[in-house]
Amino acid sequence: MRTAVLKFPGTTCEIDVAKALKKVGAEVEVVQFNKFDPDRYGGVVIPGGFSFGDYIRAGTIAANSEAMKRVKDMADEGKLVLGICNGFQILVESNILKGALLPNLNLRFITRWVRVKVRRRDTQFTKDSKETLFMPIAHMEGRYFLDDEELASRLSLFQYVDESGLPTPEANPNGSILNIAGISNDAGNVVGLMPHPERASFSTISPDGSTDGLEILKVFGK
Amino acid sequence: MMLTLSQREMEVVRRVLNREPNEAEWKLVDALWSEHCSYKSSKVFLRSLPSTGPNVVMSVEDWQDAGAVDVGDGWALVLKVESHNHPSAIDPFNGAATGVGGILRDIISKGARPIALLDMIRVGRLDQKGKWLVKNIISGIGFYGNSVGVPVVGGELSFDETYNDNPLVDVACVGVVKKDSIVPSVVKESGLKLVLVGFTGLDGLGGASFASRKLSGLDEIGAVQIADPFAGKVIIDLTLEVAKDVSAIKDLGGGGLAVAVTEMANGLGAVVNLEKVPLRYRDLLPEEIIISETQERMLFAVKPEKVEAVCSKFQELNYPCAEIGEISTEPTIRFLYKGETVAQLPSDLLLNPPLVVWPAERKERSNSDSRPVELKEAIVRVMTHPDLVSKEWAYSQFDYEVGTSTVVKPGDGDSAVVELPNGRLLALKGDANQDLCSEDSYECGKAIVAETYRNLATVGARGIALVDHLQFGDPRKPEVYHDFIEAVRGISEASKFFSIPVVGGKVSFHNEDKEGNPIKPTPLVVMAGLVEGKLGKGKPQEGSLVLLGLTRNELRGTLYSRLFGGRGSIPKVRLMEDELASKLVIKGINEDKVKWSKDLSKGGLAGAVLPLIVNGLTVAITSGAIQGTSDILAKMFSEGSGRFLVVTDDPQWFLYQAGRLGIQASVIGKAYQGSDLIIDEKSFNTEKITSNYFRFLEEVL
């Protein structure tokens, strides 16, 4: 699939995401936010980083860009949209996904490898992925919150779990409601998550040699 | 604003000019002649460092920029280390953050893409102020490094009361560039246009001169620069994009525009029209524009026909870019403001301050022996020392995974390892040792180079280049200056021994506490190396413990001696033993004989077994098997060099190989499931040590 990796000023992960997408056979183009033509792509990934410095609030400035209106159109057309970390924050800030991402409970930036459990199979991203995925997080504002706990549970796609697969408080690195690490929209074509699948796509750099991130990204290779 | 020029220096200026300089000119001379920019007290000695070698692509010119070495397939590695000690003492968050920004711009000014950062932090007592310093230094580094997407892959966090008032914040950066695309920092022809990107503000006024004197306790906040990593990220991305279209790149660091223009002109002249400089505040005075050290600015020398192409890239993102002057043939640096001359000085005068060699004298060290200490007490005190605890609290605040190239991550080994664009593995490590340096800075200079060399060997790498950073008190104090000279001599000797070129470095003097006492001498080296065959990447695990190297009764200048007083003698660094033992460890890794290895350094053998114990293993040691001394304290805590602890299933292989090489090796015990430390059948409870290891920083901070 021809896939756009959308770069805002301050985006830091576009090269990593492109590298991982190439591995699954996607036709990747890194596109500047002000030169983004959605009609050229079957899917778009919004990578991590600090778009526009994350001044005001993480993702807010980017969320109000013309580029994100185009991403919304793509989402409405049923095209694949994936937001990773800052990309997730931008999707939430632009109301393409529901909820909010608040500062981590310990108020610090956290880098750590975590395990997440796939809670739903009704999205193209997860329909035949492994049960639990091992990926790193690296964020300051990753505490997912939504007023409506029932709705949050329905949207919840990935959940932080411990080694035995349980969503314990200890397994929750940032204080997210229901241990939520990522969600999707109702249609399942738009996904946002805090862990970085692209950083879990190369066996040389993962602590146990796994490449679980590819499980999520492989959909762009089709 | 305070000037740091001496009466003698002012006389030289007046004599050369044959007139009294105006205020702006004094500030210009002050910035360029500051210790920070000119190395006037150190240059003479730095020449002894070996800076050439078959793999050196570019060595430092006058020790002002980053050096580069060949790493194969047409790629060069650019590396550099710098500190932001003074700014961090006053505003730890911005001081540390701008330290990261500054070093990144040094790397991109060579046209290289930064791929990894290391941070080496030294602070004092963890009282209220100490905690404030640590928290803000760490979050400042994270704030900048994370925002620009360069992983902090390793470093040190170390505590010593000598740094109570004057913390040391060292940041090193490496970058990669195609060998044929390296951009110089100096020009060779006149007629090139000077192009400045970024806004100039009021921050960092006189920062270079401020860094070149002791902290006064007066209002110095104006000398600290404010960090804007978002602008920094834009600058990194765009500078690398335009690098092919520019003739020279220089970042604006200490001394601001004054220093950048003068150094870039490199003996040629320059005319700068200050009214063309994009300002953050409209009312900046011309002389403030000259010396402001606002971050996130770069200076390019550009062929006239390319100016528009370069600037349009920046303007597209609303980033200021302006042509502010040009390189002239006449060797004079001229700053004009709306046609009026603000300052006009000969390039030669600015670039060549009178060098000084201060009186030097060795300080007599007291030789008193310490009180006898129970082994148990010593074990607990050393193994629970903050220097040896888990630093996860700190490194988890850094985005060390960005770049998808961090192979050995923080906390996982004695060196960090990152993957280069050509697929080779690069090992990185920085080391300093203020305990040994305060006893004997010559031995210490040798020891820190040897330690980084050993650290690299534990991941299977051999050093290819190093950069140093020399941090001392006031050079006018004979005892301080003596230590400085001796440290350079030691570093020089060791790097020559290992054939590792010193491709860059920095000097930071005037590190003192409020009473004017110098910090313990703290030279620091950062070494880069390449993994030659297999990568040594094991987790602590069960097996036989083999100790390589001879343990001598040399407890002076160790962590033990800081806690309990001197004992034994000062370690004499035997570089040949380091070389041979390192060679054996690398060979062991390549032949799959090493399950886990650690070099012996801080905390000695006790420090080396700590990672095994906290990872759920019992360590049983037969002290009689440790060769070289009968003193049990020396056996456990000596930090003498040339030694490694190896966990292996084939101890005989190591004994045989060591014999062939002519170094000592002995099987000193075993590691197996459990959590005890057993020395000669006497068991030491390690519960407290283990919980302290994991919880100390989290609880204290």
Side-chain angles (χ1 to χ4, degrees), chain A residues 23 40 68 131 179 199 205:
Chain A
K23 221 181 148 191
R40 301 189 59 229
M68 286 312 294
E131 178 81 19
N179 279 38
R199 297 176 183 184
I205 55 162

Side-chain angles (χ1 to χ4, degrees), chain B residues 267-576:
Chain B
L268 291 170
V271 181
V272 175
N273 303 300
L274 292 168
E275 74 279 1
K276 293 192 179 164
V277 172
L279 300 182
R280 192 179 286 158
Y281 309 106
R282 205 182 42 197
D283 296 333
L284 276 185
L285 300 172
E287 56 260 42
E288 289 172 336
I289 300 172
I290 298 176
I291 57 158
S292 161
E293 293 183 7
T294 305
Q295 298 276 295
E296 287 84 32
R297 296 181 298 160
M298 300 296 285
L299 183 67
F300 303 130
V302 189
K303 290 206 166 78
E305 66 273 19
K306 288 193 169 165
V307 171
E308 208 189 312
V310 168
C311 272
S312 65
K313 293 269 187 202
F314 288 87
Q315 283 151 357
E316 207 176 291
L317 289 178
N318 295 320
Y319 207 78
C321 182
E323 181 190 319
I324 60 163
E326 68 174 23
I327 299 292
S328 62
T329 326
E330 186 202 348
T332 304
I333 302 298
R334 297 173 66 197
F335 285 98
L336 309 178
Y337 189 75
K338 295 180 181 166
E340 300 276 316
T341 299
V342 178
Q344 177 168 349
L345 294 163
S347 304
D348 192 48
L349 174 78
L350 289 171
L351 285 174
N352 296 298
L355 299 183
V356 275
V357 174
W358 302 101
E361 192 180 326
R362 187 174 196 283
K363 179 177 151 196
E364 281 315 313
R365 269 75 174 177
S366 67
N367 230 7
S368 66
D369 240 39
S370 62
R371 68 179 168 96
V373 177
E374 286 283 330
L375 181 59
K376 186 180 167 190
E377 183 190 356
I379 282 174
V380 173
R381 290 276 304 277
V382 169
M383 290 175 84
T384 56
H385 191 276
D387 278 11
L388 297 179
V389 303
S390 164
K391 304 300 184 325
E392 191 180 354
W393 174 88
Y395 63 71
S396 66
Q397 299 186 49
F398 305 141
D399 188 3
Y400 56 81
E401 298 284 359
V402 67
T404 52
S405 63
T406 315
V407 177
V408 174
K409 303 172 197 301
D412 281 355
D414 279 350
S415 299
V417 178
V418 294
E419 198 178 300
L420 293 173
N422 62 1
R424 296 195 74 179
L425 296 178
L426 179 82
L428 295 165
K429 175 69 178 155
D431 278 311
N433 187 341
Q434 74 276 9
D435 288 317
L436 180 54
C437 281
S438 65
E439 291 284 348
D440 188 325
S441 63
Y442 165 69
E443 290 297 339
C444 177
K446 288 202 293 182
I448 55 176
V449 176
E451 187 183 342
T452 47
Y453 192 82
R454 294 195 308 274
N455 287 150
L456 262 48
T458 61
V459 294
R462 194 181 289 270
I464 55 164
L466 71 83
V467 287
D468 65 347
H469 191 217
L470 304 156
Q471 302 169 103
F472 293 83
D474 185 342
R476 293 167 299 186
K477 294 180 179 164
E479 290 166 350
V480 170
Y481 205 54
H482 175 271
D483 286 346
F484 162 76
I485 296 168
E486 289 292 283
V488 174
R489 193 163 71 87
I491 291 170
S492 176
E493 194 168 313
S495 44
K496 279 175 192 153
F497 178 87
F498 293 121
S499 297
I500 297 176
V502 182
V503 296
K506 244 346 238 183
V507 179
S508 166
F509 284 129
H510 302 278
N511 294 292
E512 298 187 336
D513 70 11
K514 289 205 182 80
E515 279 76 51
N517 302 307
I519 57 161
K520 289 179 186 172
T522 317
L524 176 144
V525 296
V526 175
M527 196 182 286
L530 290 170
V531 175
E532 295 192 324
K534 290 183 181 163
L535 171 69
K537 188 191 179 185
K539 288 200 158 53
Q541 52 191 306
E542 291 178 289
S544 293
L545 299 175
V546 175
L547 182 64
L548 305 181
L550 202 56
T551 304
R552 298 172 171 93
N553 190 0
E554 297 171 327
L555 270 177
R556 238 168 257 284
T558 60
L559 178 58
Y560 173 93
S561 71
R562 193 197 322 163
L563 295 169
F564 301 108
R567 198 183 158 87
S569 57
I570 293 163
K572 296 277 183 289
V573 181
R574 285 91 174 171
L575 297 169
M576 186 53 88

